[in-house]
């Protein structure tokens, strides 16, 4: 029998289908790195689809990674819905003002058309250019920005959202234990319904632009911020519905929660997401047990302490450990568990790629 070498597309698709590829594929969550390398001021770069695309293509030519994850940060959908966003010097744009002042203003929100509203048009332009240029050579993930929970928090304001969430969920107030507020919970669910519609529509647009897969970030719902109870009450069902809506159109979703998400990984698996993007803080052995044969893990190398601040030897050691614990029988796309800092040394990125080739080859 003749065995043909895999390219990036077949390698990644084999993993997603539950098979064992020739070696562990590699993803780079490097949108801030490419902004730094471009020499273009960050506020200009992250509003320029051509620049974002060219930066990603140049990085792929240098590093040869299998998966390109395309985005311009965490605030694109919030801005499109009317939230105030600041384009930072030296970092990704951030949301710093809500779109509505209270939950009674939900009816004022309008679902944006991603083909007409800034900055979604520029992000989709970047996806289109990258897909047209190298979409037959590498696996393209067009991020649909934030998932329903995180987007809802930005639209209301994170502090206000989390405060109302605690009230609705029956959190303690001083020494008295509240039983929760059903009417407040209904309002929160209305906001989450709106956010689900917004992010799902953008997900479809990313696929229409040529991405092979789409992705959402929901780190605000993770155990580093919210209790597993709040996650299961106010996040899980919306992630599940989004997965199901997309699957009905043969679209696969990657689901990102950074921090130590170990306690909710079994729940994340139950959403049916094709990929779980997980951070270095997870218990890799427990995660492997929960995900084996059911989904793919993307990560979990430390983007800051190892990739940005460590040496190539540190990167190799972290990659080797991740492959040993998560790569058995497939089910792993190696990469940073969250976004790489802008000044991550290229030598460390090369070390990550080489570690996959050295330790990630399957017999």
């Amino acid at each position: 029998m003749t065995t043909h070498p895999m390219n990036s597309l077949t390698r990644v698709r084999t993993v997603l289908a539950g098979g064992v590829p020739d070696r562990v594929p590699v993803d780079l969550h490097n949108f801030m790195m490419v902004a730094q390398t471009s020499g273009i001021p960050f506020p200009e770069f992250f509003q320029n689809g051509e620049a974002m695309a060219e930066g990603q293509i140049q990085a792929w030519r240098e590093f040869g990674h299998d998966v390109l994850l395309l985005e311009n940060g965490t605030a694109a959908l919030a801005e499109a819905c009317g939230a105030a966003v600041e384009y930072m010097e030296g970092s990704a744009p951030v949301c710093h003002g809500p779109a509505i002042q209270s939950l009674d203003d939900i009816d004022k929100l309008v679902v944006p058309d991603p083909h007409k509203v800034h900055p979604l048009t520029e992000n989709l332009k970047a996806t289109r250019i990258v897909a047209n240029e190298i979409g037959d050579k590498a696996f393209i993930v067009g991020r649909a920005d934030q998932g329903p929970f995180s987007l809802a928090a930005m639209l209301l304001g994170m502090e206000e959202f989390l405060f109302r969430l605690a009230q609705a969920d029956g959190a303690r107030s001083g020494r008295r234990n509240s039983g929760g507020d059903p009417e407040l919970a209904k309002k929160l669910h209305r906001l989450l319904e709106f956010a689900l519609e917004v992010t799902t529509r953008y997900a479809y647009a990313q696929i229409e632009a040529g991405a092979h897969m789409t992705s959402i970030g929901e780190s605000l719902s993770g155990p580093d911020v919210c209790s597993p109870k709040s996650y299961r009450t106010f996040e899980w069902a919306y992630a599940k519905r989004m997965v199901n809506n997309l699957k009905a159109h043969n679209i696969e979703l990657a689901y990102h929660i950074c921090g130590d998400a170990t306690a909710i990984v079994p729940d994340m698996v139950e959403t049916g997401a094709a990929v779980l993007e997980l951070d270095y803080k997870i218990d890799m052995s427990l995660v492997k047990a929960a995900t084996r044969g059911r989904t793919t893990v993307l990560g979990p190398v430390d983007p800051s302490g190892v990739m940005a601040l460590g040496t190539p030897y540190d990167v190799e050691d972290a990659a080797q450990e991740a492959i040993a614990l998560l790569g058995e029988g497939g089910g792993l796309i190696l990469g940073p568990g969250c976004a790489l800092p802008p000044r991550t040394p290229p030598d460390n990125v090369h070390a990550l790629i080489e570690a996959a080739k050295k330790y990630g080859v399957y017999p």
Side-chain angles (χ1 to χ4, degrees):
M1 182 178 69
T2 302
T3 302
H4 297 284
M6 291 184 174
N7 63 16
S8 291
L9 286 178
T10 54
R11 185 173 295 124
V12 175
R13 284 172 171 157
T14 297
V15 174
L16 296 179
V20 178
D22 56 345
R23 67 159 173 83
V24 171
V26 180
D27 160 76
L28 293 183
H29 196 165
N30 62 334
F31 73 101
M32 287 193 289
M33 267 191 79
V34 299
Q36 180 68 36
T37 303
S38 75
I40 301 171
F42 277 46
E44 179 183 339
F45 181 87
F46 286 127
Q47 299 181 81
N48 185 324
E50 290 93 345
M52 289 188 285
E54 183 59 27
Q56 289 287 350
I57 292 167
Q58 290 298 330
W60 173 78
R61 287 174 178 157
E62 177 178 357
F63 301 117
H65 44 299
D66 301 289
V67 180
L68 282 74
L69 181 54
L70 309 181
E71 63 171 301
N72 78 334
T74 61
L77 282 179
E79 181 177 0
C81 290
V85 169
E86 181 178 358
Y87 282 83
M88 310 285 287
E89 295 290 345
S91 188
V94 295
C95 184
H96 72 99
I100 55 175
Q101 298 305 310
S102 79
L103 287 168
D104 294 324
D105 295 334
I106 295 172
D107 289 337
K108 297 179 181 179
L109 294 168
V110 177
V111 177
D113 182 341
H115 300 289
K116 296 180 179 179
V117 178
H118 185 82
L120 307 185
T121 52
E122 295 301 315
N123 290 348
L124 293 174
K125 185 188 297 180
T127 300
R128 210 158 32 243
I129 294 170
V130 173
N132 288 339
E133 189 76 18
I134 61 171
D136 60 340
K137 303 177 183 69
F139 192 85
I140 312 300
V141 180
R143 175 88 81 184
D145 199 63
Q146 300 306 281
F149 188 96
S150 296
L151 176 58
M154 291 183 186
L155 296 179
L156 184 60
M158 290 190 188
E159 290 186 6
E160 176 71 5
F161 180 82
L162 293 173
F163 176 67
R164 298 303 177 191
L165 190 78
Q167 288 184 313
D169 204 25
R172 286 188 178 274
S173 176
R175 295 184 179 180
R176 301 178 64 186
N177 189 17
S178 167
D181 185 334
E183 290 305 313
L184 181 57
K186 286 182 182 179
K187 292 181 180 181
L188 286 168
H189 283 297
R190 281 192 63 214
L191 181 59
L192 288 161
E193 290 283 352
F194 171 83
L196 174 64
E197 184 177 355
V198 171
T199 197
T200 302
R201 185 172 183 181
Y202 187 36
Y204 286 129
Q206 284 285 5
I207 300 302
E208 291 165 3
H212 299 110
M213 172 185 277
T214 188
S215 166
I216 55 170
E218 285 286 40
S219 293
L220 193 65
S221 71
D224 282 8
V225 181
C226 292
S227 70
K229 177 187 175 185
S230 292
Y231 168 84
R232 291 167 188 137
T233 303
F234 291 100
E235 155 64 10
W236 185 86
Y238 295 95
K240 174 68 173 173
R241 284 169 59 191
M242 187 169 180
V243 168
N244 289 346
N245 289 341
L246 295 174
K247 275 187 175 179
H249 295 85
N250 297 313
I251 300 169
E252 293 181 306
L253 181 73
Y255 186 22
H256 171 75
I257 294 181
C258 59
D260 186 1
T262 305
I264 61 169
V265 163
D267 300 285
M268 294 175 72
V269 172
E270 291 298 328
T271 66
V275 174
L276 305 185
E277 301 175 21
L278 300 173
D279 208 350
Y280 71 98
K281 294 181 180 180
I282 60 167
D283 183 314
M284 287 188 275
S285 296
L286 291 178
V287 166
K288 183 63 176 180
T291 59
R292 186 190 299 271
R294 302 193 66 192
T295 190
T296 295
V297 173
L298 188 156
V301 179
D302 182 349
S304 182
V306 174
M307 292 298 302
L309 301 176
T311 68
Y313 298 105
D314 296 328
V315 174
E316 181 177 354
D317 287 346
Q320 183 181 11
E321 180 185 21
I323 291 168
L325 293 175
L326 292 168
E328 181 188 354
L332 174 65
I333 297 173
L334 183 69
C338 201
L340 291 170
R343 297 185 183 275
T344 300
D347 284 350
N348 285 359
V349 177
H350 283 295
L352 183 71
I353 306 292
E354 292 306 311
K357 295 177 180 178
K358 182 176 181 180
Y359 302 109
V361 176
Y362 290 97

